[in-house]
């Protein structure tokens, strides 16, 4: 009771926001009961409440059905059987309610909703400078699928990360996928000799304005080429692209705004995004690629000269 009075006082002073579906914007939109639809790991979620209640169901079909429900309807599907062994489920995989893996699952789900649902994202960012609370939420992790601390902690962490991304200008940057083989004059030299100096310079410059990923297509049976590419990326430039290497047998799953490759590239017919062919008439070298991308995306002149 005393805590609720403190929260109300902090709200009155503009320092806090108590999330509740019956309150006015933005508190109502941030509620898990609000119909903030999103898709998480291939499953359509009609609300965050639908996702959370679905975690209590082991059966994948029933779980998927509850996920698609709006908030108030999903809440009626709540069960308490999971409390006995503290095991919840997602897509057939068990999770210990008290484990770090479960916390990561929650964070990924909220991040998916944040990135996909503009209404939710705008509501959260409208709370800048305020401490988020949920006075009606349960605080015992053994009795609830999501405590007040977990809920508000995840939201405030996403809010902070978004602000940081905005300050450095990384949120919403276009994505460029680069066929790793085109960094060498001859594909047989990949991983064995240093890459072309112009290609390396271009990657460093593009990284300042875009999200850049290296992509390599290697058949499953050919394990050595996978290892060669991974070893080179880890060693190259201090491992800058260590977490930006995509090794795949299905290039159609790679999504980007631009795809840079050469005539022999295995990705030509399978990728999404605008194709930029190194060695073609329009792009005879990396300098032409840089000039085109900068002009198309309005990059500042000082970035071009770095």
């Amino acid at each position: 009771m005393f805590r609720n009075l403190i929260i109300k006082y902090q709200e009155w002073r503009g320092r806090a926001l108590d999330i509740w579906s019956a309150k006015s914007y933005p508190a109502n939109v941030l509620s898990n009961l609000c119909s903030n639809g999103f898709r998480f790991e291939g499953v359509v979620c009609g609300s965050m409440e639908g996702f959370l209640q679905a975690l209590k169901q082991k059966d994948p079909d029933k779980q998927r059905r509850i996920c698609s429900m709006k908030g108030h309807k999903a809440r009626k599907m709540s069960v308490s059987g999971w409390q006995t062994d503290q095991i919840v489920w997602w897509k057939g995989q068990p999770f210990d309610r008290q484990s770090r893996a479960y916390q990561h699952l929650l964070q990924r789900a909220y991040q998916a909703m944040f990135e996909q649902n503009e209404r939710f994202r705008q509501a959260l960012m409208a709370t800048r400078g305020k401490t988020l609370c949920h006075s009606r939420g349960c605080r015992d992790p053994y009795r609830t699928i999501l405590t007040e601390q977990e809920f508000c902690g995840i939201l405030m962490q996403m809010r902070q990360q978004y602000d940081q991304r905005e300050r450095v200008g990384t949120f919403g940057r276009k994505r460029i996928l680069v066929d790793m083989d085109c960094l060498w004059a001859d594909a047989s030299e990949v991983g064995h000799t240093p890459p072309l100096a112009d290609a390396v310079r271009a990657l460093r410059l593009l990284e300042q304005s875009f999200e850049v990923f290296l992509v390599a297509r290697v058949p499953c049976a050919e394990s050595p080429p996978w290892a060669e590419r991974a070893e080179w990326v880890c060693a190259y430039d201090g491992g800058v692209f260590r977490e930006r290497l995509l090794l795949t047998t299905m290039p159609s799953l790679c999504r980007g705004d631009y795809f840079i490759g050469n005539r022999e590239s295995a990705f030509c017919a399978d990728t999404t995004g605008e194709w930029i062919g190194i060695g073609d008439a329009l792009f005879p070298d990396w300098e032409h690629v840089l000039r085109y991308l900068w002009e198309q995306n309005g990059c500042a002149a000082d970035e071009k000269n770095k």
Side-chain angles (χ1 to χ4, degrees):
M1 182 64 180
F2 180 68
R3 180 174 179 272
N4 290 344
L5 291 176
I6 293 178
I7 292 176
K8 289 182 179 180
Y9 175 69
Q10 293 296 332
E11 277 196 297
W12 176 73
R13 298 191 65 186
R15 295 182 177 179
L17 180 75
D18 192 11
I19 299 172
W20 185 27
S21 61
K23 296 184 70 172
S24 59
Y25 182 89
N28 57 343
V29 175
L30 295 180
S31 168
N32 290 328
L33 295 175
C34 186
S35 301
N36 295 317
F38 64 102
R39 182 184 293 270
F40 180 54
E41 297 185 353
V43 178
V44 175
C45 301
S47 63
M48 182 54 70
E49 186 70 19
F51 169 75
L52 294 173
Q53 296 300 338
L55 296 177
K56 302 174 182 179
Q57 302 292 337
K58 182 178 180 179
D59 180 72
D61 292 332
K62 190 171 185 179
Q63 184 176 82
R64 188 178 295 270
R65 186 168 65 254
I66 295 176
C67 268
S68 66
M69 294 180 179
K70 305 297 183 182
H72 291 283
K73 184 177 180 180
R75 186 166 63 175
K76 295 178 181 179
M77 305 301 294
S78 179
V79 294
S80 59
W82 66 273
Q83 296 176 355
T84 303
D85 54 11
Q86 293 293 301
I87 297 297
V88 295
W89 299 83
W90 177 241
K91 300 180 72 173
Q93 180 181 352
F95 286 83
D96 183 339
R97 167 63 181 88
Q98 310 306 324
S99 68
R100 182 175 298 180
Y102 176 69
Q103 295 300 318
H104 289 167
L105 177 67
L106 291 177
Q107 292 166 4
R108 295 200 310 272
Y110 273 98
Q111 189 66 39
M113 181 170 66
F114 179 81
E115 293 179 352
Q116 298 172 31
N117 194 291
E118 184 177 1
R119 178 177 62 167
F120 175 80
R121 184 168 62 250
Q122 290 180 347
L124 180 58
M125 300 317 297
T127 68
R128 284 184 174 99
K130 296 182 180 181
T131 300
L132 299 182
C133 311
H134 184 48
S135 61
R136 289 163 180 78
C138 179
R139 308 184 74 184
D140 184 352
Y142 291 91
R143 294 180 53 230
T144 181
I145 205 78
L146 182 73
T147 65
E148 176 191 11
Q149 182 179 9
E150 291 168 337
F151 175 41
C152 296
I154 290 173
L155 296 191
M156 288 189 287
Q157 182 181 30
M158 289 194 304
R159 184 180 65 187
Q160 180 182 6
Q161 290 174 344
Y162 184 87
D163 271 337
Q164 291 174 346
R165 292 161 74 180
E166 277 195 325
R167 280 196 291 271
V168 298
T170 58
F171 188 81
R173 292 199 302 179
K174 289 188 176 180
R175 177 175 298 175
I176 297 177
L177 305 180
V178 181
D179 183 357
M180 193 171 173
D181 289 357
C182 73
L183 302 183
W184 281 264
D186 189 336
S188 64
E189 299 176 352
V190 176
H192 301 291
T193 61
L196 297 170
D198 288 345
V200 173
R201 172 180 174 273
L203 286 184
R204 290 172 177 166
L205 291 173
L206 291 173
E207 180 68 16
Q208 297 170 12
S209 305
F210 303 88
E211 285 188 327
V212 181
F213 291 82
L214 299 178
V215 187
R217 177 178 183 174
V218 185
C220 292
E222 297 181 17
S223 56
W226 292 74
E228 290 172 359
R229 285 162 170 76
E231 289 174 2
W232 179 85
V233 169
C234 290
Y236 162 71
D237 205 16
V240 171
F241 287 92
R242 182 191 302 269
E243 297 180 1
R244 299 234 174 154
L245 173 62
L246 306 178
L247 299 173
T248 180
T249 59
M250 300 180 66
S252 60
L253 298 180
C254 299
R255 305 290 176 178
D257 298 289
Y258 301 96
F259 204 107
I260 301 176
N262 54 31
R263 295 174 183 175
E264 292 76 33
S265 175
F267 296 89
C268 289
D270 297 320
T271 55
T272 61
E274 182 178 349
W275 174 260
I276 296 178
I278 290 288
D280 292 348
L282 292 176
F283 307 103
D285 52 39
W286 281 96
E287 193 62 35
H288 282 77
V289 173
L290 290 173
R291 190 178 305 133
Y292 174 78
L293 290 172
W294 280 326
E295 291 175 355
Q296 289 294 310
N297 294 278
C299 296
D302 58 340
E303 287 185 333
K304 303 178 187 180
N305 297 323
K306 287 181 180 178

